[in-house]
PDB file of all heavy atoms in Angstrom:
ATOM      1  N   ARG D  18      68.050 165.068 156.989  1.00  0.00           N
ATOM      2  CA  ARG D  18      67.066 165.346 155.982  1.00  0.00           C
ATOM      3  C   ARG D  18      65.628 165.019 156.465  1.00  0.00           C
ATOM      4  O   ARG D  18      64.746 164.730 155.662  1.00  0.00           O
ATOM      5  CB  ARG D  18      67.399 164.567 154.686  1.00  0.00           C
ATOM      6  CG  ARG D  18      68.698 165.005 154.051  1.00  0.00           C
ATOM      7  CD  ARG D  18      68.663 166.460 153.627  1.00  0.00           C
ATOM      8  NE  ARG D  18      69.913 166.921 153.122  1.00  0.00           N
ATOM      9  CZ  ARG D  18      70.259 166.952 151.819  1.00  0.00           C
ATOM     10  NH1 ARG D  18      69.399 166.554 150.915  1.00  0.00           N
ATOM     11  NH2 ARG D  18      71.434 167.407 151.422  1.00  0.00           N
ATOM     12  N   GLU D  40      67.375 174.015 162.405  1.00  0.00           N
ATOM     13  CA  GLU D  40      67.461 174.067 160.955  1.00  0.00           C
ATOM     14  C   GLU D  40      66.501 173.113 160.247  1.00  0.00           C
ATOM     15  O   GLU D  40      66.333 173.165 159.049  1.00  0.00           O
ATOM     16  CB  GLU D  40      68.932 173.715 160.520  1.00  0.00           C
ATOM     17  CG  GLU D  40      69.899 174.831 160.806  1.00  0.00           C
ATOM     18  CD  GLU D  40      69.527 176.135 160.080  1.00  0.00           C
ATOM     19  OE1 GLU D  40      69.218 176.082 158.886  1.00  0.00           O
ATOM     20  OE2 GLU D  40      69.473 177.190 160.741  1.00  0.00           O
ATOM     21  N   ILE D  43      60.317 174.197 160.911  1.00  0.00           N
ATOM     22  CA  ILE D  43      59.755 175.376 160.244  1.00  0.00           C
ATOM     23  C   ILE D  43      58.325 175.591 160.791  1.00  0.00           C
ATOM     24  O   ILE D  43      57.523 174.664 160.747  1.00  0.00           O
ATOM     25  CB  ILE D  43      59.658 175.177 158.714  1.00  0.00           C
ATOM     26  CG1 ILE D  43      61.099 174.976 158.150  1.00  0.00           C
ATOM     27  CG2 ILE D  43      58.989 176.357 158.027  1.00  0.00           C
ATOM     28  CD1 ILE D  43      61.093 174.133 156.885  1.00  0.00           C
ATOM     29  N   ALA D  48      48.849 179.050 157.397  1.00  0.00           N
ATOM     30  CA  ALA D  48      48.780 179.096 155.947  1.00  0.00           C
ATOM     31  C   ALA D  48      48.965 177.668 155.442  1.00  0.00           C
ATOM     32  O   ALA D  48      50.001 177.304 154.928  1.00  0.00           O
ATOM     33  CB  ALA D  48      49.894 180.015 155.426  1.00  0.00           C
ATOM     34  N   GLN D  50      47.776 175.813 152.919  1.00  0.00           N
ATOM     35  CA  GLN D  50      48.023 175.455 151.497  1.00  0.00           C
ATOM     36  C   GLN D  50      49.508 175.594 151.189  1.00  0.00           C
ATOM     37  O   GLN D  50      50.142 174.711 150.610  1.00  0.00           O
ATOM     38  CB  GLN D  50      47.199 176.332 150.590  1.00  0.00           C
ATOM     39  CG  GLN D  50      45.735 176.121 150.678  1.00  0.00           C
ATOM     40  CD  GLN D  50      45.000 176.979 149.638  1.00  0.00           C
ATOM     41  OE1 GLN D  50      44.919 176.613 148.484  1.00  0.00           O
ATOM     42  NE2 GLN D  50      44.522 178.128 150.037  1.00  0.00           N
ATOM     43  N   ASN D  51      50.112 176.710 151.552  1.00  0.00           N
ATOM     44  CA  ASN D  51      51.521 176.904 151.336  1.00  0.00           C
ATOM     45  C   ASN D  51      52.305 175.879 152.149  1.00  0.00           C
ATOM     46  O   ASN D  51      53.335 175.329 151.634  1.00  0.00           O
ATOM     47  CB  ASN D  51      51.924 178.306 151.703  1.00  0.00           C
ATOM     48  CG  ASN D  51      53.411 178.538 151.469  1.00  0.00           C
ATOM     49  OD1 ASN D  51      53.906 178.396 150.350  1.00  0.00           O
ATOM     50  ND2 ASN D  51      54.140 178.850 152.536  1.00  0.00           N
ATOM     51  N   GLY D  54      52.253 172.622 150.200  1.00  0.00           N
ATOM     52  CA  GLY D  54      53.005 172.758 148.935  1.00  0.00           C
ATOM     53  C   GLY D  54      54.476 172.807 149.170  1.00  0.00           C
ATOM     54  O   GLY D  54      55.284 172.203 148.471  1.00  0.00           O
ATOM     55  N   LEU D  55      54.879 173.605 150.179  1.00  0.00           N
ATOM     56  CA  LEU D  55      56.330 173.693 150.414  1.00  0.00           C
ATOM     57  C   LEU D  55      56.909 172.420 150.998  1.00  0.00           C
ATOM     58  O   LEU D  55      58.047 172.058 150.730  1.00  0.00           O
ATOM     59  CB  LEU D  55      56.662 174.902 151.304  1.00  0.00           C
ATOM     60  CG  LEU D  55      56.646 174.868 152.798  1.00  0.00           C
ATOM     61  CD1 LEU D  55      58.013 174.476 153.346  1.00  0.00           C
ATOM     62  CD2 LEU D  55      56.320 176.262 153.333  1.00  0.00           C
ATOM     63  N   ALA D  57      55.899 169.483 150.043  1.00  0.00           N
ATOM     64  CA  ALA D  57      56.110 168.672 148.819  1.00  0.00           C
ATOM     65  C   ALA D  57      57.356 169.091 148.109  1.00  0.00           C
ATOM     66  O   ALA D  57      58.154 168.267 147.635  1.00  0.00           O
ATOM     67  CB  ALA D  57      54.872 168.779 147.930  1.00  0.00           C
ATOM     68  N   GLY D  58      57.557 170.432 148.003  1.00  0.00           N
ATOM     69  CA  GLY D  58      58.781 170.936 147.347  1.00  0.00           C
ATOM     70  C   GLY D  58      60.035 170.455 148.084  1.00  0.00           C
ATOM     71  O   GLY D  58      61.028 170.036 147.415  1.00  0.00           O
ATOM     72  N   MET D  59      60.024 170.501 149.392  1.00  0.00           N
ATOM     73  CA  MET D  59      61.173 170.015 150.130  1.00  0.00           C
ATOM     74  C   MET D  59      61.388 168.543 149.953  1.00  0.00           C
ATOM     75  O   MET D  59      62.501 168.041 149.794  1.00  0.00           O
ATOM     76  CB  MET D  59      60.993 170.366 151.655  1.00  0.00           C
ATOM     77  CG  MET D  59      61.113 171.802 151.995  1.00  0.00           C
ATOM     78  SD  MET D  59      60.959 172.106 153.768  1.00  0.00           S
ATOM     79  CE  MET D  59      62.581 171.509 154.328  1.00  0.00           C
ATOM     80  N   SER D  61      60.647 166.817 147.440  1.00  0.00           N
ATOM     81  CA  SER D  61      61.158 166.566 146.085  1.00  0.00           C
ATOM     82  C   SER D  61      62.633 166.781 146.011  1.00  0.00           C
ATOM     83  O   SER D  61      63.294 166.357 145.041  1.00  0.00           O
ATOM     84  CB  SER D  61      60.442 167.474 145.071  1.00  0.00           C
ATOM     85  OG  SER D  61      60.937 168.779 145.135  1.00  0.00           O
ATOM     86  N   GLU D  62      63.195 167.381 147.029  1.00  0.00           N
ATOM     87  CA  GLU D  62      64.657 167.592 147.064  1.00  0.00           C
ATOM     88  C   GLU D  62      65.324 166.736 148.136  1.00  0.00           C
ATOM     89  O   GLU D  62      66.442 167.061 148.616  1.00  0.00           O
ATOM     90  CB  GLU D  62      64.965 169.097 147.331  1.00  0.00           C
ATOM     91  CG  GLU D  62      64.478 169.996 146.218  1.00  0.00           C
ATOM     92  CD  GLU D  62      65.212 169.782 144.891  1.00  0.00           C
ATOM     93  OE1 GLU D  62      66.289 169.123 144.884  1.00  0.00           O
ATOM     94  OE2 GLU D  62      64.677 170.243 143.853  1.00  0.00           O
ATOM     95  N   GLU D  81      43.804 169.564 148.247  1.00  0.00           N
ATOM     96  CA  GLU D  81      44.266 169.477 146.852  1.00  0.00           C
ATOM     97  C   GLU D  81      45.802 169.435 146.786  1.00  0.00           C
ATOM     98  O   GLU D  81      46.375 168.769 145.909  1.00  0.00           O
ATOM     99  CB  GLU D  81      43.784 170.674 146.057  1.00  0.00           C
ATOM    100  CG  GLU D  81      43.957 170.446 144.570  1.00  0.00           C
ATOM    101  CD  GLU D  81      43.445 171.610 143.745  1.00  0.00           C
ATOM    102  OE1 GLU D  81      44.023 172.671 143.780  1.00  0.00           O
ATOM    103  OE2 GLU D  81      42.420 171.399 143.068  1.00  0.00           O
ATOM    104  N   ASP D  86      50.125 167.453 144.840  1.00  0.00           N
ATOM    105  CA  ASP D  86      51.555 167.705 145.023  1.00  0.00           C
ATOM    106  C   ASP D  86      52.258 166.541 145.726  1.00  0.00           C
ATOM    107  O   ASP D  86      53.289 166.074 145.299  1.00  0.00           O
ATOM    108  CB  ASP D  86      51.782 168.971 145.875  1.00  0.00           C
ATOM    109  CG  ASP D  86      51.085 170.180 145.296  1.00  0.00           C
ATOM    110  OD1 ASP D  86      50.541 170.110 144.191  1.00  0.00           O
ATOM    111  OD2 ASP D  86      51.082 171.239 145.964  1.00  0.00           O
ATOM    112  N   HIS D  90      52.725 162.961 143.064  1.00  0.00           N
ATOM    113  CA  HIS D  90      54.174 162.922 142.769  1.00  0.00           C
ATOM    114  C   HIS D  90      54.867 161.896 143.661  1.00  0.00           C
ATOM    115  O   HIS D  90      56.065 161.732 143.591  1.00  0.00           O
ATOM    116  CB  HIS D  90      54.796 164.310 143.000  1.00  0.00           C
ATOM    117  CG  HIS D  90      54.403 165.298 141.941  1.00  0.00           C
ATOM    118  ND1 HIS D  90      53.206 165.973 141.990  1.00  0.00           N
ATOM    119  CD2 HIS D  90      54.982 165.696 140.798  1.00  0.00           C
ATOM    120  CE1 HIS D  90      53.109 166.785 140.934  1.00  0.00           C
ATOM    121  NE2 HIS D  90      54.175 166.625 140.178  1.00  0.00           N
TER     122      HIS D  90
ATOM    123  N   ARG L  57      65.908 174.903 138.771  1.00  0.00           N
ATOM    124  CA  ARG L  57      64.572 174.270 138.723  1.00  0.00           C
ATOM    125  C   ARG L  57      63.593 175.262 138.090  1.00  0.00           C
ATOM    126  O   ARG L  57      63.442 176.395 138.653  1.00  0.00           O
ATOM    127  CB  ARG L  57      64.083 173.901 140.103  1.00  0.00           C
ATOM    128  CG  ARG L  57      64.570 172.577 140.690  1.00  0.00           C
ATOM    129  CD  ARG L  57      66.047 172.514 141.007  1.00  0.00           C
ATOM    130  NE  ARG L  57      66.406 171.397 141.814  1.00  0.00           N
ATOM    131  CZ  ARG L  57      67.618 170.904 141.950  1.00  0.00           C
ATOM    132  NH1 ARG L  57      68.650 171.490 141.284  1.00  0.00           N
ATOM    133  NH2 ARG L  57      67.889 169.899 142.740  1.00  0.00           N
ATOM    134  N   HIS L 100      55.136 165.893 135.019  1.00  0.00           N
ATOM    135  CA  HIS L 100      56.521 165.602 135.465  1.00  0.00           C
ATOM    136  C   HIS L 100      57.045 164.298 134.876  1.00  0.00           C
ATOM    137  O   HIS L 100      58.196 163.951 135.087  1.00  0.00           O
ATOM    138  CB  HIS L 100      56.580 165.527 136.987  1.00  0.00           C
ATOM    139  CG  HIS L 100      55.790 164.367 137.595  1.00  0.00           C
ATOM    140  ND1 HIS L 100      54.404 164.338 137.625  1.00  0.00           N
ATOM    141  CD2 HIS L 100      56.169 163.232 138.168  1.00  0.00           C
ATOM    142  CE1 HIS L 100      54.016 163.216 138.221  1.00  0.00           C
ATOM    143  NE2 HIS L 100      55.060 162.521 138.539  1.00  0.00           N
ATOM    144  N   PHE L 107      57.600 169.365 137.786  1.00  0.00           N
ATOM    145  CA  PHE L 107      56.396 169.316 138.610  1.00  0.00           C
ATOM    146  C   PHE L 107      55.136 169.389 137.750  1.00  0.00           C
ATOM    147  O   PHE L 107      55.091 170.247 136.845  1.00  0.00           O
ATOM    148  CB  PHE L 107      56.419 170.507 139.575  1.00  0.00           C
ATOM    149  CG  PHE L 107      55.373 170.596 140.638  1.00  0.00           C
ATOM    150  CD1 PHE L 107      55.055 169.479 141.444  1.00  0.00           C
ATOM    151  CD2 PHE L 107      54.678 171.776 140.823  1.00  0.00           C
ATOM    152  CE1 PHE L 107      54.078 169.592 142.392  1.00  0.00           C
ATOM    153  CE2 PHE L 107      53.700 171.872 141.802  1.00  0.00           C
ATOM    154  CZ  PHE L 107      53.396 170.768 142.599  1.00  0.00           C
ATOM    155  N   SER L 108      54.202 168.541 138.017  1.00  0.00           N
ATOM    156  CA  SER L 108      52.919 168.583 137.298  1.00  0.00           C
ATOM    157  C   SER L 108      52.008 169.622 137.942  1.00  0.00           C
ATOM    158  O   SER L 108      51.847 169.643 139.164  1.00  0.00           O
ATOM    159  CB  SER L 108      52.227 167.210 137.348  1.00  0.00           C
ATOM    160  OG  SER L 108      52.948 166.269 136.654  1.00  0.00           O
ATOM    161  N   ALA L 111      45.906 172.478 138.445  1.00  0.00           N
ATOM    162  CA  ALA L 111      45.168 173.318 139.383  1.00  0.00           C
ATOM    163  C   ALA L 111      46.062 174.502 139.722  1.00  0.00           C
ATOM    164  O   ALA L 111      47.242 174.331 139.984  1.00  0.00           O
ATOM    165  CB  ALA L 111      44.892 172.498 140.652  1.00  0.00           C
ATOM    166  N   HIS L 114      49.549 176.148 142.797  1.00  0.00           N
ATOM    167  CA  HIS L 114      50.375 175.087 143.408  1.00  0.00           C
ATOM    168  C   HIS L 114      51.863 175.307 143.128  1.00  0.00           C
ATOM    169  O   HIS L 114      52.699 174.848 143.901  1.00  0.00           O
ATOM    170  CB  HIS L 114      49.984 173.727 142.846  1.00  0.00           C
ATOM    171  CG  HIS L 114      48.692 173.183 143.390  1.00  0.00           C
ATOM    172  ND1 HIS L 114      48.567 172.054 144.178  1.00  0.00           N
ATOM    173  CD2 HIS L 114      47.410 173.673 143.286  1.00  0.00           C
ATOM    174  CE1 HIS L 114      47.335 171.847 144.543  1.00  0.00           C
ATOM    175  NE2 HIS L 114      46.595 172.821 143.986  1.00  0.00           N
ATOM    176  N   PRO L 117      54.135 177.634 145.983  1.00  0.00           N
ATOM    177  CA  PRO L 117      54.504 176.961 147.260  1.00  0.00           C
ATOM    178  C   PRO L 117      55.483 175.828 147.051  1.00  0.00           C
ATOM    179  O   PRO L 117      56.411 175.659 147.866  1.00  0.00           O
ATOM    180  CB  PRO L 117      53.132 176.464 147.767  1.00  0.00           C
ATOM    181  CG  PRO L 117      52.126 177.395 147.172  1.00  0.00           C
ATOM    182  CD  PRO L 117      52.667 177.746 145.802  1.00  0.00           C
ATOM    183  N   PHE L 118      55.312 175.072 145.999  1.00  0.00           N
ATOM    184  CA  PHE L 118      56.248 173.964 145.731  1.00  0.00           C
ATOM    185  C   PHE L 118      57.642 174.500 145.449  1.00  0.00           C
ATOM    186  O   PHE L 118      58.653 173.995 145.981  1.00  0.00           O
ATOM    187  CB  PHE L 118      55.735 173.193 144.527  1.00  0.00           C
ATOM    188  CG  PHE L 118      56.429 171.877 144.251  1.00  0.00           C
ATOM    189  CD1 PHE L 118      56.153 170.754 145.008  1.00  0.00           C
ATOM    190  CD2 PHE L 118      57.391 171.766 143.274  1.00  0.00           C
ATOM    191  CE1 PHE L 118      56.781 169.543 144.768  1.00  0.00           C
ATOM    192  CE2 PHE L 118      58.058 170.559 143.011  1.00  0.00           C
ATOM    193  CZ  PHE L 118      57.701 169.448 143.785  1.00  0.00           C
ATOM    194  N   GLY L 121      59.394 175.538 148.598  1.00  0.00           N
ATOM    195  CA  GLY L 121      59.968 174.403 149.308  1.00  0.00           C
ATOM    196  C   GLY L 121      61.361 174.033 148.743  1.00  0.00           C
ATOM    197  O   GLY L 121      62.283 173.772 149.466  1.00  0.00           O
ATOM    198  N   LYS L 122      61.440 174.064 147.390  1.00  0.00           N
ATOM    199  CA  LYS L 122      62.718 173.750 146.750  1.00  0.00           C
ATOM    200  C   LYS L 122      63.771 174.830 147.102  1.00  0.00           C
ATOM    201  O   LYS L 122      64.930 174.506 147.406  1.00  0.00           O
ATOM    202  CB  LYS L 122      62.539 173.657 145.242  1.00  0.00           C
ATOM    203  CG  LYS L 122      61.909 172.350 144.791  1.00  0.00           C
ATOM    204  CD  LYS L 122      61.798 172.326 143.261  1.00  0.00           C
ATOM    205  CE  LYS L 122      61.302 170.967 142.748  1.00  0.00           C
ATOM    206  NZ  LYS L 122      62.322 169.906 142.837  1.00  0.00           N
ATOM    207  N   LEU L 124      63.891 176.733 149.608  1.00  0.00           N
ATOM    208  CA  LEU L 124      64.269 176.617 151.035  1.00  0.00           C
ATOM    209  C   LEU L 124      65.325 175.549 151.238  1.00  0.00           C
ATOM    210  O   LEU L 124      66.274 175.709 151.985  1.00  0.00           O
ATOM    211  CB  LEU L 124      63.008 176.311 151.866  1.00  0.00           C
ATOM    212  CG  LEU L 124      63.159 176.386 153.381  1.00  0.00           C
ATOM    213  CD1 LEU L 124      63.461 177.825 153.821  1.00  0.00           C
ATOM    214  CD2 LEU L 124      61.843 175.898 154.064  1.00  0.00           C
ATOM    215  N   LYS L 128      69.170 175.651 152.675  1.00  0.00           N
ATOM    216  CA  LYS L 128      69.591 174.807 153.840  1.00  0.00           C
ATOM    217  C   LYS L 128      70.853 174.032 153.480  1.00  0.00           C
ATOM    218  O   LYS L 128      71.706 173.805 154.347  1.00  0.00           O
ATOM    219  CB  LYS L 128      68.459 173.885 154.251  1.00  0.00           C
ATOM    220  CG  LYS L 128      67.357 174.617 154.978  1.00  0.00           C
ATOM    221  CD  LYS L 128      66.351 173.671 155.576  1.00  0.00           C
ATOM    222  CE  LYS L 128      65.217 174.453 156.283  1.00  0.00           C
ATOM    223  NZ  LYS L 128      65.730 175.252 157.411  1.00  0.00           N
ATOM    224  N   ILE L 129      70.924 173.557 152.234  1.00  0.00           N
ATOM    225  CA  ILE L 129      72.104 172.709 151.868  1.00  0.00           C
ATOM    226  C   ILE L 129      73.173 173.569 151.208  1.00  0.00           C
ATOM    227  O   ILE L 129      74.154 173.056 150.727  1.00  0.00           O
ATOM    228  CB  ILE L 129      71.701 171.516 150.987  1.00  0.00           C
ATOM    229  CG1 ILE L 129      71.160 171.991 149.614  1.00  0.00           C
ATOM    230  CG2 ILE L 129      70.680 170.636 151.667  1.00  0.00           C
ATOM    231  CD1 ILE L 129      70.886 170.859 148.637  1.00  0.00           C
ATOM    232  N   GLU L 151      50.061 183.312 150.356  1.00  0.00           N
ATOM    233  CA  GLU L 151      50.737 182.653 151.465  1.00  0.00           C
ATOM    234  C   GLU L 151      52.215 182.423 151.159  1.00  0.00           C
ATOM    235  O   GLU L 151      53.110 182.635 151.992  1.00  0.00           O
ATOM    236  CB  GLU L 151      50.061 181.311 151.759  1.00  0.00           C
ATOM    237  CG  GLU L 151      48.639 181.381 152.265  1.00  0.00           C
ATOM    238  CD  GLU L 151      47.991 180.012 152.493  1.00  0.00           C
ATOM    239  OE1 GLU L 151      48.687 178.978 152.351  1.00  0.00           O
ATOM    240  OE2 GLU L 151      46.781 179.963 152.822  1.00  0.00           O
ATOM    241  N   ALA L 152      52.432 181.936 149.964  1.00  0.00           N
ATOM    242  CA  ALA L 152      53.834 181.588 149.544  1.00  0.00           C
ATOM    243  C   ALA L 152      54.674 182.843 149.408  1.00  0.00           C
ATOM    244  O   ALA L 152      55.865 182.856 149.759  1.00  0.00           O
ATOM    245  CB  ALA L 152      53.813 180.822 148.237  1.00  0.00           C
ATOM    246  N   PHE L 155      55.750 183.796 152.818  1.00  0.00           N
ATOM    247  CA  PHE L 155      56.727 182.854 153.391  1.00  0.00           C
ATOM    248  C   PHE L 155      58.119 183.112 152.723  1.00  0.00           C
ATOM    249  O   PHE L 155      59.138 183.138 153.419  1.00  0.00           O
ATOM    250  CB  PHE L 155      56.252 181.428 153.131  1.00  0.00           C
ATOM    251  CG  PHE L 155      57.170 180.394 153.764  1.00  0.00           C
ATOM    252  CD1 PHE L 155      56.828 179.856 154.992  1.00  0.00           C
ATOM    253  CD2 PHE L 155      58.325 179.963 153.137  1.00  0.00           C
ATOM    254  CE1 PHE L 155      57.645 178.889 155.608  1.00  0.00           C
ATOM    255  CE2 PHE L 155      59.133 179.014 153.726  1.00  0.00           C
ATOM    256  CZ  PHE L 155      58.796 178.466 154.983  1.00  0.00           C
TER     257      PHE L 155
END
Side-chain angles (χ1 to χ4, degrees):
Chain D
R18 296 298 175 95
E40 287 301 311
I43 299 151
Q50 293 185 81
N51 180 59
L55 87 88
M59 290 182 73
S61 75
E62 297 294 345
E81 194 179 70
D86 305 353
H90 290 83
Chain L
R57 277 67 166 162
H100 66 288
F107 184 51
S108 293
H114 286 245
F118 190 79
K122 282 181 173 288
L124 190 65
K128 286 188 181 298
I129 64 173
E151 293 178 5
F155 186 97

